[in-house]
Amino acid sequence: MENQQRNFGTWQLTSIMISSMIGVSILTIPRTSTVLLHQMGWISPILGCLLASLAVAAIVYLGKQFPGTTFVEFMPRIFGTVLGAICVFLFILYQFFNAGITARLFGEVVVTSVLPNTPLEAVIITLLLLVVFLCCHEIEVVARVNELLIPFLLLPSLLIPLVSLMNADWYNLLPFQIESWTNVMKTGLNTYTLYTGYELLMVYFAFAIPGARLGVASMTGMSFALIVYVITVVAGIAVFGYEELQRLVWPTLELIKVTQKTGWFLERFESAFLAIWVASVFTTIGNMLYATIFSLRRLFRKGLRFQQITAIVTMVPLFFLTLVPKNIVELFSFTQQFTTVGLLITIFIPILLAITQFIRNQFNNVREVNNEKGGT
């Protein structure tokens, strides 16, 4: 296996994390967050963040324990060859399917909102070709692309929901009352998926420079995503009310249409927003698929040529995978079922890895102390 330079700084890791987490879900979050919690739906992103933060803390711990190695190397070292190989396979498969779902959601948004006469297949193929091009380069290119595009993501993500609050009816947020704690738990388990993408750090942390602050990068990324999601949900509820949100497929786009009526922006501002949003989705899917294909490269101990061939070959099944749901209702249903699988792979496995490694370290420390006492 070729040795690759570790040259990702703290800001580059932060950019990768933010770009990986903020994507398609920002367009649906006002609706999904208010299904069970109604006017208190703004709590949903906070609950999801708390759950995801446990896994992020575990990944940071693993990154510090195994510097310069990806999950492909350290999972078998922690869990053993067989169980570790199963976990590696599950992680790679999860990222592949997740990228497919995200690509299909992207296609649906573009076709229904901007290009109604364009075939869905054409939109998805165009996106996948761009991702293939990214996957044909070394990993440093991924960091540079994320770093380059992150400014275009940060400002609109915060500005649009804030400006839309000019049309808010604050009574829509009342009363401040939780009707069912069971629904709170269900919503928390569902909305952690807003932050999925953090698990990719089990690949990208391997290329952090020795002085990079993994904890700072992770906390900054999670904090920004949390602020964006909470503001977006608050704006959605305040402007439309939770009942109306359930009737909107892409509620955040409707927020943008309300925003442009204030006179702040040009006509058809949602098209301009989607142009920026395309860059966000590109980095999200690009980071996922790059991590998947690069992991296969590390698994088989191959070089860049293997990665390029794998990227081209895997795009064919991925394209057909995106077309499996017959309509948007099936797509949302499939996404919901996929959430349960993701809970195991992105939450449970990283935490279990960190706990196992921590116990092993404690056991080794006790054994070393005993050996020293025995030697004396």
Side-chain angles (χ1 to χ4, degrees):
M1 190 191 322
E2 55 193 75
N3 292 320
Q4 288 177 300
Q5 201 172 4
R6 294 170 57 190
N7 53 10
F8 284 18
T10 305
W11 172 242
Q12 287 179 317
L13 291 170
T14 305
S15 301
I16 289 173
M17 190 169 184
I18 295 174
S19 299
S20 299
M21 288 190 295
I22 297 181
V24 177
S25 56
I26 196 171
L27 297 184
T28 59
I29 180 179
R31 172 171 51 79
T32 55
S33 295
T34 53
V35 171
L36 297 176
L37 295 185
H38 300 165
Q39 78 281 355
M40 294 294 290
W42 52 270
I43 297 177
S44 302
I46 300 173
L47 298 173
C49 182
L50 291 175
L51 183 58
S53 294
L54 296 175
V56 171
I59 292 170
V60 170
Y61 175 76
L62 292 168
K64 292 178 179 178
Q65 288 290 305
F66 301 97
T69 60
T70 68
F71 73 95
V72 173
E73 289 92 29
F74 67 67
M75 276 187 181
R77 288 167 62 179
I78 297 173
F79 281 163
T81 306
V82 177
L83 184 57
I86 293 172
C87 290
V88 168
F89 174 75
L90 287 174
F91 184 89
I92 292 173
L93 203 61
Y94 172 80
Q95 293 304 328
F96 181 77
F97 276 91
N98 202 11
I101 291 172
T102 307
R104 174 61 184 272
L105 285 167
F106 165 81
E108 291 286 351
V109 174
V110 173
V111 168
T112 55
S113 305
V114 186
L115 305 172
N117 297 321
T118 305
L120 176 66
E121 294 83 356
V123 175
I124 294 174
I125 286 174
T126 304
L127 175 66
L128 292 183
L129 287 175
L130 286 171
V131 173
V132 168
F133 183 72
L134 177 66
C135 292
C136 288
H137 293 81
E138 287 289 7
I139 200 164
E140 290 82 2
V141 176
V142 178
R144 291 177 191 144
V145 168
N146 280 273
E147 193 175 19
L148 176 66
L149 295 178
I150 197 69
F152 299 101
L153 171 64
L154 298 182
L155 187 60
S157 299
L158 289 170
L159 183 63
I160 289 165
L162 286 173
V163 173
S164 66
L165 289 174
M166 294 174 64
N167 301 285
D169 180 358
W170 296 105
Y171 288 106
N172 287 333
L173 293 167
L174 300 176
F176 288 110
Q177 178 181 343
I178 294 174
E179 298 171 0
S180 168
W181 286 102
T182 304
N183 288 340
V184 170
M185 296 299 295
K186 287 180 181 177
T187 305
L189 290 173
N190 288 335
T191 53
Y192 87 91
T193 54
L194 295 170
Y195 303 93
T196 50
Y198 61 80
E199 70 278 2
L200 301 178
L201 296 177
M202 288 198 286
V203 174
Y204 296 115
F205 271 170
F207 301 95
I209 57 176
R213 303 172 71 181
L214 307 187
V216 171
S218 304
M219 287 178 59
T220 305
M222 290 294 289
S223 300
F224 180 81
L226 173 63
I227 292 168
V228 168
Y229 286 140
V230 170
I231 292 174
T232 303
V233 176
V234 168
I237 299 171
V239 173
F240 297 115
Y242 74 87
E243 300 98 334
E244 183 63 26
L245 285 174
Q246 301 311 308
R247 302 184 183 97
L248 302 174
V249 180
W250 313 111
T252 306
L253 280 182
E254 300 302 322
L255 271 179
I256 296 163
K257 292 176 184 177
V258 170
T259 301
Q260 71 187 25
K261 292 177 183 176
T262 62
W264 278 50
F265 299 105
L266 300 174
E267 189 178 354
R268 296 286 294 171
F269 179 63
E270 72 268 22
S271 299
F273 169 78
L274 284 171
I276 298 167
W277 175 77
V278 165
S280 171
V281 176
F282 165 68
T283 52
T284 300
I285 299 176
N287 292 345
M288 286 179 189
L289 274 177
Y290 196 98
T292 303
I293 293 165
F294 185 80
S295 298
L296 290 171
R297 171 183 170 182
R298 295 285 285 234
L299 185 63
F300 293 105
R301 301 175 182 270
K302 300 291 184 179
L304 180 62
R305 187 67 176 168
F306 173 85
Q307 181 177 320
Q308 292 169 341
I309 294 170
T310 306
I312 295 168
V313 171
T314 52
M315 287 307 119
V316 178
L318 182 64
F319 171 71
F320 287 106
L321 173 68
T322 62
L323 302 178
V324 169
K326 295 181 177 61
N327 51 51
I328 199 165
V329 177
E330 280 193 14
L331 178 61
F332 284 143
S333 175
F334 187 77
T335 304
Q336 186 62 37
Q337 294 169 10
F338 196 63
T339 300
T340 308
V341 180
L343 195 64
L344 167 70
I345 296 169
T346 63
I347 301 287
F348 182 71
I349 289 180
I351 292 174
L352 191 59
L353 282 165
I355 291 172
T356 306
Q357 180 61 23
F358 178 79
I359 292 172
R360 180 173 293 172
N361 286 343
Q362 297 303 310
F363 178 76
N364 289 338
N365 291 338
V366 170
R367 189 168 58 181
E368 286 177 6
V369 169
N370 291 336
N371 288 340
E372 288 176 4
K373 291 180 178 177
T376 56

